[in-house]
């Protein structure tokens, strides 16, 4: 009501479920937890407007509108028109990005009345604008899929993330930071798993006992006759004694 604008439907539904969102996660280095990921959506009370007040407490200090760079070409080709800090746009901070910039909800048309159409933009520390998404829902998905890694918003800028942040991306989000590889064959990202090797049984193969060679029928008969002859001879010798 104060700014005479209406929240987009998806962001309104988000705030009806929860008044803001904050999630952080850490990694262990030398058994010491180190905060790494941070995902933040400001609460309604912290949804502050940018550009309306002075950046400094000094008298006659410049505002963001005074520092705005109008030399950039706007709306050329597929590039959307960038926001303005003056009365032409309404800008609200969604995420302070731990001081690395600001993710903003932007109403591109504020004159003569505020347009309900909004976009999500990233304002870097040099006060350059970078387009992120057209809807809050799409931005929320980006936030989750990038795991809130440090400076992940800079992946959508022309100069990219810092070398330090790139190391974290290579560890936890390698495909995102190497987007040029996505045009290559899909086999590069397929984990070629051979289940026959992974689930190969380690049990020893049972050793089969060899059967003695079978004798031919003729030899069996001759062996039987020889045995009977020996038995009869032994019986005769015993009777003589």
């Amino acid at each position: 009501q104060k700014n005479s604008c209406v929240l987009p439907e998806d962001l309104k539904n988000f705030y009806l479920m929860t008044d803001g969102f904050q999630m952080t996660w850490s990694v262990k280095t030398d058994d010491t937890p180190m905060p790494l990921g941070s995902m933040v959506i400001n609460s309604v009370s912290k949804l502050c407007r940018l550009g309306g007040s002075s950046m400094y407490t000094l008298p006659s200090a410049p505002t963001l509108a005074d520092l705005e760079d109008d030399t950039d070409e706007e709306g050329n080709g597929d590039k959307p028109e960038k926001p303005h800090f003056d009365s032409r746009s309404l800008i609200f901070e969604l995420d302070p990005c731990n001081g690395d910039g600001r993710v903003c909800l932007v109403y591109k048309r504020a004159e003569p009345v505020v347009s309900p159409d909004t976009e999500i933009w990233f304002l870097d520390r040099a006060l350059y604008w970078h387009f992120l998404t057209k809807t809050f829902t799409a931005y929320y998905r980006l936030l989750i899929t990038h795991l809130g890694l440090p400076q992940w918003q800079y992946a959508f800028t022309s100069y990219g993330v810092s070398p330090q942040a790139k190391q974290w991306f290579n560890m936890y989000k390698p495909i995102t930071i190497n987007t040029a590889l996505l045009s290559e064959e899909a086999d590069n990202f397929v984990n070629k798993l051979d289940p026959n090797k992974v689930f190969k049984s380690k049990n020893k193969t049972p050793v089969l006992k060899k059967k003695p060679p079978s004798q031919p029928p003729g030899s069996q008969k001759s062996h039987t006759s020889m045995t009977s002859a020996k038995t009869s001879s032994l019986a005769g010798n015993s009777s003589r004694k």
Side-chain angles (χ1 to χ4, degrees), residues 39-233:
M39 293 174 274
V40 176
I41 302 294
N42 281 341
S43 61
V44 176
S45 61
K46 294 182 179 180
L47 203 62
C48 303
R49 182 182 174 184
L50 299 183
S53 60
S54 174
M55 296 177 60
Y56 309 99
T57 57
L58 299 175
S60 303
T63 63
L64 286 173
D66 298 327
L67 300 175
E68 183 176 0
D69 184 10
D70 289 330
T71 59
D72 294 342
E73 296 181 358
E74 301 176 357
N76 291 339
D78 296 333
K79 296 182 180 179
E81 181 183 354
K82 71 174 186 178
H84 299 280
F85 290 114
D86 55 20
S87 59
R88 287 174 290 178
S89 304
L90 284 179
I91 305 170
F92 299 93
E93 180 184 303
L94 283 176
D95 182 1
C97 303
N98 291 325
D100 293 322
R102 294 181 181 182
V103 174
C104 300
L105 173 71
V106 178
Y107 293 81
K108 298 289 288 293
R109 299 287 183 271
E111 293 179 348
V113 293
V114 179
S115 171
D117 298 330
T118 59
E119 294 173 347
I120 308 297
W121 286 71
F122 174 62
L123 179 66
D124 65 18
R125 298 185 64 179
L127 301 183
Y128 287 102
W129 288 104
H130 308 277
F131 176 76
L132 292 180
T133 62
K134 285 186 172 295
T135 64
F136 170 77
T137 302
Y139 168 74
Y140 190 74
R141 290 172 179 170
L142 281 181
L143 176 65
I144 300 299
T145 55
H146 284 81
L147 308 176
L149 288 170
Q151 303 176 10
W152 71 265
Q153 296 89 353
Y154 282 88
F156 296 87
T157 65
S158 58
Y159 30 87
V161 299
S162 66
Q164 181 181 2
K166 189 176 292 186
Q167 293 181 2
W168 294 118
F169 269 88
N170 287 329
M171 184 176 296
Y172 295 103
K173 202 69 176 172
I175 296 181
T176 301
I177 201 63
N178 297 314
T179 52
L181 299 178
L182 293 176
S183 59
E184 299 181 4
E185 296 182 1
D187 292 341
N188 293 335
F189 301 102
V190 175
N191 187 4
K192 297 180 180 180
L193 181 66
D194 188 356
N196 295 325
K197 293 182 179 181
V198 174
F199 301 104
K200 187 176 180 180
S201 176
K202 295 183 179 179
N203 296 332
K204 294 183 179 180
T205 305
V207 179
L208 299 177
K209 294 182 179 180
K210 294 183 179 181
K211 295 181 179 180
S214 58
Q215 297 178 351
S219 61
Q220 290 180 358
K221 290 181 180 180
S222 61
H223 179 71
T224 304
S225 60
M226 291 176 62
T227 305
S228 59
K230 289 181 179 180
T231 305
S232 60
S233 62

Side-chain angles (χ1 to χ4, degrees), residues 4-17:
S4 302
C5 58
V6 179
L7 288 175
E9 195 65 25
D10 52 358
L11 183 56
K12 178 181 178 181
N13 292 334
F14 175 82
Y15 280 127
L16 288 175
M17 291 187 297

